[in-house]
Amino acid sequence: MRISKHGMCCLLIGAKLVASVATAQAAGAVSCADISSQSLKLKNVKITKAEALPSSDKYPAHCLLQGTVNDRTGADGKHYAIGFEMRLPDDWNGRFLYQLNGGNDGEVIEATGDPKEMNALGGKSALSRGFSVLSSDSGHSGKDPANHDAGLAASNMFGLDEQARLDYGFAADRTMTPIAKAIIRLRYGRRPQFSYMEGCSNGGRHVMVDASRMGDLYDGFIAGDPGIDLPRAAVQHAWDVQNLSLADPDIRKSFSRDDMALIAAKVIEICDALDGLADGMVDNLRACQKAFHLEELKCPGAKTPTCLTGEQVTALTRIMGGPRNAAGKQLYSDWPYDGGMGSSNWRFWKIESGIPPWNNEPLIAIMGAGSLSYIFTSPPTKTPGTPNDLLAFLKSFDFDRDAQKIYATDGAYKVSAMGFMAPPDVDNPKLLKLRAKNHKLIVYHGQSDAVFSVNDTIRWYERLAVNSGGNASTFARLYTVPGMNHCAGGPSTDSFDMLSAMTEWVEQHKAPDHIVATVSAANKEVPANWSKTRTRPLCNWPAVARYKGGDPESANSFVCEIPK
Ligand code: CA
């Protein structure tokens, strides 16, 4: 039986279009144990594990498959391969999900599409919904024992090998896509009816790059807090560290927790009601930027708990303005003031991690510095992997000389960091391949993300809107999340199910006007005066949520409208 996207073979069960399940009986299907390098017959693909797992409390019965692709010796003499895992449920819904992972990749995360790895799933894993899920390490091992001596830079060392850079940027995704679809065909006797990808942070970046490079190969793309300009965002790390040092030479002391809480409280005081309801959330982000002035918090005299020093005001003003070179050229993006800036995740990224082996230095000063030094600049700088050395690399980073290295190539590194890390059309997005196939993209972004600026994503989306004659919402939608930090957290409704919204859009042509978000029970930063069941609509940018009357804790009391 031929499976078509028009549902010829399919049953309408409830509200969802579900492929008729004939898993074990389908012609050409094989059992889990019979999936092997030999039966798959794909060059350079090794299957190392094929194990049928029974159902558990968490997941349905499924086939766990592990393997490697393109085993090779790199230019640095080290071993590389794309490590991967697939989980194929016995009761398959006909859909395929590529789970894109965060950080520097370098680890095969369990291919369960689990909410702990991928928020935006509304608490239910993709595997338990019946998806076949793929996860990969994007072509390198972050725990290669050969890199042990590199200390905290070990997970960045792959940046010395050109192919590993390309795989991390986009090539592993391109390589794995037909392999995963072939495995699905072997297991079930038919190809996936619908294919999706989803990820947040670096995973969101993968999704954005793939939506641009291979928008024809997946029906739906879901990108969270995406690092669309990741090398440029890494230049911001150096800018942050150098400017925080103006407030205190020890950046961990540059802003206390109380200082950041003071700033966030002032943002709420000035901006909260601009969206029509004082509810602890800044929905009208643009109006807020015009109304809020950090200088109003500057101490008239000595520092007290209710004000900031002049150095702190200068430091944060420069950080929020984004990095510039000596000629004043913007090198990344500016940032909006929002109610989530006092949260622990914001602090973890920019100011202080609380991780003793890192000397409690923030994430940008450790992982961020290693990435900028080894991966995002050409030629790479072999910075020793101690907290002090990594911090020193950022402190001495020159915004004229060094910032250009994210665009540089040489004999050993023929593609620049921006070339392999960013979507090829990032500065002038068109998503031509995606549009030609009527495929879809959903992007969401926390307004208080400390590592990738929501303003950069908004600017990208507005350019896409111009490039598509104002019709961007027919194929791409952006949802900003007030108060949310990087991918989750902060005083926000940070639990939402983008995957269901996407499948409905693709399969039932039901475009998501808004997406209902709820507070997470696990989120300790939800203010005490909010209902534990608060819901809010996330609105299709540039619309924002506006209170229309009724229960202020319910999404039903809001409408999405474009601010005047
Ligand atoms: Ca509000």
Side-chain angles (χ1 to χ4, degrees), residues 334-352:
D334 58 353
W335 304 68
Y337 288 91
D338 180 57
M341 293 176 66
S343 300
S344 57
N345 183 264
W346 201 98
R347 184 170 194 81
F348 177 76
W349 278 97
K350 273 205 203 291
I351 306 214
E352 182 184 32

mmCIF file with all atom_site columns, all heavy atoms in Angstrom, residues 334-352:
data_model
loop_
_atom_site.group_PDB
_atom_site.id
_atom_site.type_symbol
_atom_site.label_atom_id
_atom_site.label_alt_id
_atom_site.label_comp_id
_atom_site.label_asym_id
_atom_site.label_entity_id
_atom_site.label_seq_id
_atom_site.pdbx_PDB_ins_code
_atom_site.Cartn_x
_atom_site.Cartn_y
_atom_site.Cartn_z
_atom_site.occupancy
_atom_site.B_iso_or_equiv
_atom_site.pdbx_formal_charge
_atom_site.auth_seq_id
_atom_site.auth_comp_id
_atom_site.auth_asym_id
_atom_site.auth_atom_id
_atom_site.pdbx_PDB_model_num
ATOM 1   N N   . ASP A 1 334 ? 21.552 44.166 19.405 1.00 0.00 ? 334 ASP A N   1
ATOM 2   C CA  . ASP A 1 334 ? 21.193 44.729 20.699 1.00 0.00 ? 334 ASP A CA  1
ATOM 3   C C   . ASP A 1 334 ? 20.264 43.747 21.413 1.00 0.00 ? 334 ASP A C   1
ATOM 4   O O   . ASP A 1 334 ? 19.931 42.687 20.866 1.00 0.00 ? 334 ASP A O   1
ATOM 5   C CB  . ASP A 1 334 ? 20.539 46.107 20.530 1.00 0.00 ? 334 ASP A CB  1
ATOM 6   C CG  . ASP A 1 334 ? 19.288 46.046 19.649 1.00 0.00 ? 334 ASP A CG  1
ATOM 7   O OD1 . ASP A 1 334 ? 18.996 44.969 19.065 1.00 0.00 ? 334 ASP A OD1 1
ATOM 8   O OD2 . ASP A 1 334 ? 18.587 47.060 19.537 1.00 0.00 ? 334 ASP A OD2 1
ATOM 9   N N   . TRP A 1 335 ? 19.875 44.088 22.646 1.00 0.00 ? 335 TRP A N   1
ATOM 10  C CA  . TRP A 1 335 ? 19.082 43.203 23.505 1.00 0.00 ? 335 TRP A CA  1
ATOM 11  C C   . TRP A 1 335 ? 17.962 44.006 24.162 1.00 0.00 ? 335 TRP A C   1
ATOM 12  O O   . TRP A 1 335 ? 18.170 45.173 24.485 1.00 0.00 ? 335 TRP A O   1
ATOM 13  C CB  . TRP A 1 335 ? 19.961 42.601 24.621 1.00 0.00 ? 335 TRP A CB  1
ATOM 14  C CG  . TRP A 1 335 ? 21.154 41.859 24.142 1.00 0.00 ? 335 TRP A CG  1
ATOM 15  C CD1 . TRP A 1 335 ? 22.259 42.390 23.514 1.00 0.00 ? 335 TRP A CD1 1
ATOM 16  C CD2 . TRP A 1 335 ? 21.400 40.460 24.247 1.00 0.00 ? 335 TRP A CD2 1
ATOM 17  N NE1 . TRP A 1 335 ? 23.161 41.396 23.223 1.00 0.00 ? 335 TRP A NE1 1
ATOM 18  C CE2 . TRP A 1 335 ? 22.661 40.198 23.663 1.00 0.00 ? 335 TRP A CE2 1
ATOM 19  C CE3 . TRP A 1 335 ? 20.673 39.396 24.792 1.00 0.00 ? 335 TRP A CE3 1
ATOM 20  C CZ2 . TRP A 1 335 ? 23.202 38.927 23.603 1.00 0.00 ? 335 TRP A CZ2 1
ATOM 21  C CZ3 . TRP A 1 335 ? 21.224 38.121 24.727 1.00 0.00 ? 335 TRP A CZ3 1
ATOM 22  C CH2 . TRP A 1 335 ? 22.472 37.892 24.137 1.00 0.00 ? 335 TRP A CH2 1
ATOM 23  N N   . PRO A 1 336 ? 16.802 43.416 24.403 1.00 0.00 ? 336 PRO A N   1
ATOM 24  C CA  . PRO A 1 336 ? 15.734 44.151 25.078 1.00 0.00 ? 336 PRO A CA  1
ATOM 25  C C   . PRO A 1 336 ? 15.769 43.963 26.600 1.00 0.00 ? 336 PRO A C   1
ATOM 26  O O   . PRO A 1 336 ? 16.154 42.908 27.100 1.00 0.00 ? 336 PRO A O   1
ATOM 27  C CB  . PRO A 1 336 ? 14.472 43.487 24.509 1.00 0.00 ? 336 PRO A CB  1
ATOM 28  C CG  . PRO A 1 336 ? 14.891 42.060 24.307 1.00 0.00 ? 336 PRO A CG  1
ATOM 29  C CD  . PRO A 1 336 ? 16.361 42.078 23.961 1.00 0.00 ? 336 PRO A CD  1
ATOM 30  N N   . TYR A 1 337 ? 15.368 45.004 27.324 1.00 0.00 ? 337 TYR A N   1
ATOM 31  C CA  . TYR A 1 337 ? 15.122 44.851 28.758 1.00 0.00 ? 337 TYR A CA  1
ATOM 32  C C   . TYR A 1 337 ? 13.794 44.131 28.923 1.00 0.00 ? 337 TYR A C   1
ATOM 33  O O   . TYR A 1 337 ? 12.817 44.441 28.241 1.00 0.00 ? 337 TYR A O   1
ATOM 34  C CB  . TYR A 1 337 ? 15.078 46.219 29.438 1.00 0.00 ? 337 TYR A CB  1
ATOM 35  C CG  . TYR A 1 337 ? 16.441 46.868 29.527 1.00 0.00 ? 337 TYR A CG  1
ATOM 36  C CD1 . TYR A 1 337 ? 16.899 47.717 28.519 1.00 0.00 ? 337 TYR A CD1 1
ATOM 37  C CD2 . TYR A 1 337 ? 17.272 46.600 30.607 1.00 0.00 ? 337 TYR A CD2 1
ATOM 38  C CE1 . TYR A 1 337 ? 18.173 48.297 28.591 1.00 0.00 ? 337 TYR A CE1 1
ATOM 39  C CE2 . TYR A 1 337 ? 18.539 47.174 30.692 1.00 0.00 ? 337 TYR A CE2 1
ATOM 40  C CZ  . TYR A 1 337 ? 18.975 48.022 29.680 1.00 0.00 ? 337 TYR A CZ  1
ATOM 41  O OH  . TYR A 1 337 ? 20.227 48.581 29.753 1.00 0.00 ? 337 TYR A OH  1
ATOM 42  N N   . ASP A 1 338 ? 13.771 43.143 29.826 1.00 0.00 ? 338 ASP A N   1
ATOM 43  C CA  . ASP A 1 338 ? 12.578 42.313 30.019 1.00 0.00 ? 338 ASP A CA  1
ATOM 44  C C   . ASP A 1 338 ? 12.533 41.857 31.481 1.00 0.00 ? 338 ASP A C   1
ATOM 45  O O   . ASP A 1 338 ? 13.543 41.935 32.197 1.00 0.00 ? 338 ASP A O   1
ATOM 46  C CB  . ASP A 1 338 ? 12.629 41.110 29.059 1.00 0.00 ? 338 ASP A CB  1
ATOM 47  C CG  . ASP A 1 338 ? 11.416 40.202 29.192 1.00 0.00 ? 338 ASP A CG  1
ATOM 48  O OD1 . ASP A 1 338 ? 10.282 40.693 29.023 1.00 0.00 ? 338 ASP A OD1 1
ATOM 49  O OD2 . ASP A 1 338 ? 11.599 38.998 29.490 1.00 0.00 ? 338 ASP A OD2 1
ATOM 50  N N   . GLY A 1 339 ? 11.401 41.362 31.891 1.00 0.00 ? 339 GLY A N   1
ATOM 51  C CA  . GLY A 1 339 ? 11.204 41.025 33.304 1.00 0.00 ? 339 GLY A CA  1
ATOM 52  C C   . GLY A 1 339 ? 11.952 39.800 33.802 1.00 0.00 ? 339 GLY A C   1
ATOM 53  O O   . GLY A 1 339 ? 11.929 39.521 35.000 1.00 0.00 ? 339 GLY A O   1
ATOM 54  N N   . GLY A 1 340 ? 12.626 39.056 32.907 1.00 0.00 ? 340 GLY A N   1
ATOM 55  C CA  . GLY A 1 340 ? 13.322 37.835 33.342 1.00 0.00 ? 340 GLY A CA  1
ATOM 56  C C   . GLY A 1 340 ? 14.809 38.007 33.575 1.00 0.00 ? 340 GLY A C   1
ATOM 57  O O   . GLY A 1 340 ? 15.527 37.023 33.798 1.00 0.00 ? 340 GLY A O   1
ATOM 58  N N   . MET A 1 341 ? 15.290 39.262 33.554 1.00 0.00 ? 341 MET A N   1
ATOM 59  C CA  . MET A 1 341 ? 16.739 39.465 33.658 1.00 0.00 ? 341 MET A CA  1
ATOM 60  C C   . MET A 1 341 ? 17.310 39.175 35.042 1.00 0.00 ? 341 MET A C   1
ATOM 61  O O   . MET A 1 341 ? 18.525 39.019 35.195 1.00 0.00 ? 341 MET A O   1
ATOM 62  C CB  . MET A 1 341 ? 17.083 40.905 33.269 1.00 0.00 ? 341 MET A CB  1
ATOM 63  C CG  . MET A 1 341 ? 16.827 41.191 31.810 1.00 0.00 ? 341 MET A CG  1
ATOM 64  S SD  . MET A 1 341 ? 17.126 42.931 31.418 1.00 0.00 ? 341 MET A SD  1
ATOM 65  C CE  . MET A 1 341 ? 18.897 43.058 31.704 1.00 0.00 ? 341 MET A CE  1
ATOM 66  N N   . GLY A 1 342 ? 16.428 39.101 36.046 1.00 0.00 ? 342 GLY A N   1
ATOM 67  C CA  . GLY A 1 342 ? 16.908 38.814 37.397 1.00 0.00 ? 342 GLY A CA  1
ATOM 68  C C   . GLY A 1 342 ? 16.985 37.320 37.700 1.00 0.00 ? 342 GLY A C   1
ATOM 69  O O   . GLY A 1 342 ? 17.299 36.931 38.825 1.00 0.00 ? 342 GLY A O   1
ATOM 70  N N   . SER A 1 343 ? 16.738 36.489 36.696 1.00 0.00 ? 343 SER A N   1
ATOM 71  C CA  . SER A 1 343 ? 16.622 35.046 36.935 1.00 0.00 ? 343 SER A CA  1
ATOM 72  C C   . SER A 1 343 ? 17.973 34.339 36.974 1.00 0.00 ? 343 SER A C   1
ATOM 73  O O   . SER A 1 343 ? 18.979 34.851 36.479 1.00 0.00 ? 343 SER A O   1
ATOM 74  C CB  . SER A 1 343 ? 15.778 34.418 35.833 1.00 0.00 ? 343 SER A CB  1
ATOM 75  O OG  . SER A 1 343 ? 14.504 34.997 35.847 1.00 0.00 ? 343 SER A OG  1
ATOM 76  N N   . SER A 1 344 ? 17.947 33.136 37.547 1.00 0.00 ? 344 SER A N   1
ATOM 77  C CA  . SER A 1 344 ? 19.195 32.386 37.742 1.00 0.00 ? 344 SER A CA  1
ATOM 78  C C   . SER A 1 344 ? 19.824 31.984 36.411 1.00 0.00 ? 344 SER A C   1
ATOM 79  O O   . SER A 1 344 ? 21.046 31.955 36.284 1.00 0.00 ? 344 SER A O   1
ATOM 80  C CB  . SER A 1 344 ? 18.931 31.153 38.606 1.00 0.00 ? 344 SER A CB  1
ATOM 81  O OG  . SER A 1 344 ? 17.941 30.350 38.013 1.00 0.00 ? 344 SER A OG  1
ATOM 82  N N   . ASN A 1 345 ? 19.017 31.682 35.388 1.00 0.00 ? 345 ASN A N   1
ATOM 83  C CA  . ASN A 1 345 ? 19.595 31.256 34.114 1.00 0.00 ? 345 ASN A CA  1
ATOM 84  C C   . ASN A 1 345 ? 20.320 32.415 33.419 1.00 0.00 ? 345 ASN A C   1
ATOM 85  O O   . ASN A 1 345 ? 21.373 32.217 32.810 1.00 0.00 ? 345 ASN A O   1
ATOM 86  C CB  . ASN A 1 345 ? 18.506 30.674 33.211 1.00 0.00 ? 345 ASN A CB  1
ATOM 87  C CG  . ASN A 1 345 ? 19.051 30.146 31.904 1.00 0.00 ? 345 ASN A CG  1
ATOM 88  O OD1 . ASN A 1 345 ? 19.029 30.836 30.891 1.00 0.00 ? 345 ASN A OD1 1
ATOM 89  N ND2 . ASN A 1 345 ? 19.590 28.931 31.918 1.00 0.00 ? 345 ASN A ND2 1
ATOM 90  N N   . TRP A 1 346 ? 19.776 33.602 33.532 1.00 0.00 ? 346 TRP A N   1
ATOM 91  C CA  . TRP A 1 346 ? 20.439 34.794 32.962 1.00 0.00 ? 346 TRP A CA  1
ATOM 92  C C   . TRP A 1 346 ? 21.800 34.962 33.635 1.00 0.00 ? 346 TRP A C   1
ATOM 93  O O   . TRP A 1 346 ? 22.811 35.168 32.977 1.00 0.00 ? 346 TRP A O   1
ATOM 94  C CB  . TRP A 1 346 ? 19.555 36.020 33.185 1.00 0.00 ? 346 TRP A CB  1
ATOM 95  C CG  . TRP A 1 346 ? 19.817 37.186 32.269 1.00 0.00 ? 346 TRP A CG  1
ATOM 96  C CD1 . TRP A 1 346 ? 19.137 37.499 31.139 1.00 0.00 ? 346 TRP A CD1 1
ATOM 97  C CD2 . TRP A 1 346 ? 20.819 38.214 32.437 1.00 0.00 ? 346 TRP A CD2 1
ATOM 98  N NE1 . TRP A 1 346 ? 19.651 38.647 30.576 1.00 0.00 ? 346 TRP A NE1 1
ATOM 99  C CE2 . TRP A 1 346 ? 20.682 39.108 31.352 1.00 0.00 ? 346 TRP A CE2 1
ATOM 100 C CE3 . TRP A 1 346 ? 21.820 38.458 33.380 1.00 0.00 ? 346 TRP A CE3 1
ATOM 101 C CZ2 . TRP A 1 346 ? 21.505 40.226 31.183 1.00 0.00 ? 346 TRP A CZ2 1
ATOM 102 C CZ3 . TRP A 1 346 ? 22.632 39.564 33.221 1.00 0.00 ? 346 TRP A CZ3 1
ATOM 103 C CH2 . TRP A 1 346 ? 22.472 40.442 32.131 1.00 0.00 ? 346 TRP A CH2 1
ATOM 104 N N   . ARG A 1 347 ? 21.796 34.824 34.957 1.00 0.00 ? 347 ARG A N   1
ATOM 105 C CA  . ARG A 1 347 ? 23.038 34.964 35.729 1.00 0.00 ? 347 ARG A CA  1
ATOM 106 C C   . ARG A 1 347 ? 24.041 33.872 35.367 1.00 0.00 ? 347 ARG A C   1
ATOM 107 O O   . ARG A 1 347 ? 25.237 34.124 35.218 1.00 0.00 ? 347 ARG A O   1
ATOM 108 C CB  . ARG A 1 347 ? 22.689 34.895 37.221 1.00 0.00 ? 347 ARG A CB  1
ATOM 109 C CG  . ARG A 1 347 ? 23.862 35.127 38.124 1.00 0.00 ? 347 ARG A CG  1
ATOM 110 C CD  . ARG A 1 347 ? 23.466 35.300 39.588 1.00 0.00 ? 347 ARG A CD  1
ATOM 111 N NE  . ARG A 1 347 ? 24.620 35.854 40.305 1.00 0.00 ? 347 ARG A NE  1
ATOM 112 C CZ  . ARG A 1 347 ? 24.926 37.144 40.295 1.00 0.00 ? 347 ARG A CZ  1
ATOM 113 N NH1 . ARG A 1 347 ? 24.168 38.001 39.688 1.00 0.00 ? 347 ARG A NH1 1
ATOM 114 N NH2 . ARG A 1 347 ? 26.003 37.575 40.943 1.00 0.00 ? 347 ARG A NH2 1
ATOM 115 N N   . PHE A 1 348 ? 23.559 32.640 35.240 1.00 0.00 ? 348 PHE A N   1
ATOM 116 C CA  . PHE A 1 348 ? 24.397 31.478 34.917 1.00 0.00 ? 348 PHE A CA  1
ATOM 117 C C   . PHE A 1 348 ? 25.174 31.703 33.619 1.00 0.00 ? 348 PHE A C   1
ATOM 118 O O   . PHE A 1 348 ? 26.354 31.402 33.514 1.00 0.00 ? 348 PHE A O   1
ATOM 119 C CB  . PHE A 1 348 ? 23.471 30.254 34.799 1.00 0.00 ? 348 PHE A CB  1
ATOM 120 C CG  . PHE A 1 348 ? 24.136 28.977 34.393 1.00 0.00 ? 348 PHE A CG  1
ATOM 121 C CD1 . PHE A 1 348 ? 24.899 28.264 35.299 1.00 0.00 ? 348 PHE A CD1 1
ATOM 122 C CD2 . PHE A 1 348 ? 23.970 28.466 33.110 1.00 0.00 ? 348 PHE A CD2 1
ATOM 123 C CE1 . PHE A 1 348 ? 25.499 27.066 34.932 1.00 0.00 ? 348 PHE A CE1 1
ATOM 124 C CE2 . PHE A 1 348 ? 24.561 27.274 32.741 1.00 0.00 ? 348 PHE A CE2 1
ATOM 125 C CZ  . PHE A 1 348 ? 25.326 26.568 33.656 1.00 0.00 ? 348 PHE A CZ  1
ATOM 126 N N   . TRP A 1 349 ? 24.498 32.263 32.619 1.00 0.00 ? 349 TRP A N   1
ATOM 127 C CA  . TRP A 1 349 ? 25.170 32.486 31.331 1.00 0.00 ? 349 TRP A CA  1
ATOM 128 C C   . TRP A 1 349 ? 26.171 33.624 31.385 1.00 0.00 ? 349 TRP A C   1
ATOM 129 O O   . TRP A 1 349 ? 27.279 33.521 30.897 1.00 0.00 ? 349 TRP A O   1
ATOM 130 C CB  . TRP A 1 349 ? 24.126 32.782 30.237 1.00 0.00 ? 349 TRP A CB  1
ATOM 131 C CG  . TRP A 1 349 ? 23.507 31.548 29.690 1.00 0.00 ? 349 TRP A CG  1
ATOM 132 C CD1 . TRP A 1 349 ? 22.333 30.997 30.064 1.00 0.00 ? 349 TRP A CD1 1
ATOM 133 C CD2 . TRP A 1 349 ? 24.050 30.688 28.670 1.00 0.00 ? 349 TRP A CD2 1
ATOM 134 N NE1 . TRP A 1 349 ? 22.101 29.852 29.342 1.00 0.00 ? 349 TRP A NE1 1
ATOM 135 C CE2 . TRP A 1 349 ? 23.132 29.645 28.487 1.00 0.00 ? 349 TRP A CE2 1
ATOM 136 C CE3 . TRP A 1 349 ? 25.226 30.711 27.903 1.00 0.00 ? 349 TRP A CE3 1
ATOM 137 C CZ2 . TRP A 1 349 ? 23.347 28.618 27.565 1.00 0.00 ? 349 TRP A CZ2 1
ATOM 138 C CZ3 . TRP A 1 349 ? 25.443 29.702 26.984 1.00 0.00 ? 349 TRP A CZ3 1
ATOM 139 C CH2 . TRP A 1 349 ? 24.512 28.666 26.830 1.00 0.00 ? 349 TRP A CH2 1
ATOM 140 N N   . LYS A 1 350 ? 25.733 34.766 31.979 1.00 0.00 ? 350 LYS A N   1
ATOM 141 C CA  . LYS A 1 350 ? 26.533 35.984 31.792 1.00 0.00 ? 350 LYS A CA  1
ATOM 142 C C   . LYS A 1 350 ? 27.440 36.350 32.961 1.00 0.00 ? 350 LYS A C   1
ATOM 143 O O   . LYS A 1 350 ? 28.469 36.980 32.744 1.00 0.00 ? 350 LYS A O   1
ATOM 144 C CB  . LYS A 1 350 ? 25.581 37.175 31.549 1.00 0.00 ? 350 LYS A CB  1
ATOM 145 C CG  . LYS A 1 350 ? 25.194 37.354 30.071 1.00 0.00 ? 350 LYS A CG  1
ATOM 146 C CD  . LYS A 1 350 ? 24.806 38.791 29.792 1.00 0.00 ? 350 LYS A CD  1
ATOM 147 C CE  . LYS A 1 350 ? 23.920 39.021 28.600 1.00 0.00 ? 350 LYS A CE  1
ATOM 148 N NZ  . LYS A 1 350 ? 24.509 38.794 27.297 1.00 0.00 ? 350 LYS A NZ  1
ATOM 149 N N   . ILE A 1 351 ? 27.073 35.985 34.202 1.00 0.00 ? 351 ILE A N   1
ATOM 150 C CA  . ILE A 1 351 ? 27.765 36.577 35.354 1.00 0.00 ? 351 ILE A CA  1
ATOM 151 C C   . ILE A 1 351 ? 28.474 35.558 36.240 1.00 0.00 ? 351 ILE A C   1
ATOM 152 O O   . ILE A 1 351 ? 29.639 35.709 36.553 1.00 0.00 ? 351 ILE A O   1
ATOM 153 C CB  . ILE A 1 351 ? 26.766 37.400 36.198 1.00 0.00 ? 351 ILE A CB  1
ATOM 154 C CG1 . ILE A 1 351 ? 26.090 38.410 35.273 1.00 0.00 ? 351 ILE A CG1 1
ATOM 155 C CG2 . ILE A 1 351 ? 27.464 38.049 37.391 1.00 0.00 ? 351 ILE A CG2 1
ATOM 156 C CD1 . ILE A 1 351 ? 25.730 39.718 35.807 1.00 0.00 ? 351 ILE A CD1 1
ATOM 157 N N   . GLU A 1 352 ? 27.757 34.505 36.607 1.00 0.00 ? 352 GLU A N   1
ATOM 158 C CA  . GLU A 1 352 ? 28.309 33.591 37.620 1.00 0.00 ? 352 GLU A CA  1
ATOM 159 C C   . GLU A 1 352 ? 27.596 32.246 37.491 1.00 0.00 ? 352 GLU A C   1
ATOM 160 O O   . GLU A 1 352 ? 26.370 32.204 37.536 1.00 0.00 ? 352 GLU A O   1
ATOM 161 C CB  . GLU A 1 352 ? 28.045 34.197 39.012 1.00 0.00 ? 352 GLU A CB  1
ATOM 162 C CG  . GLU A 1 352 ? 28.578 33.407 40.162 1.00 0.00 ? 352 GLU A CG  1
ATOM 163 C CD  . GLU A 1 352 ? 28.169 34.046 41.491 1.00 0.00 ? 352 GLU A CD  1
ATOM 164 O OE1 . GLU A 1 352 ? 27.072 34.662 41.570 1.00 0.00 ? 352 GLU A OE1 1
ATOM 165 O OE2 . GLU A 1 352 ? 28.940 33.919 42.450 1.00 0.00 ? 352 GLU A OE2 1
#
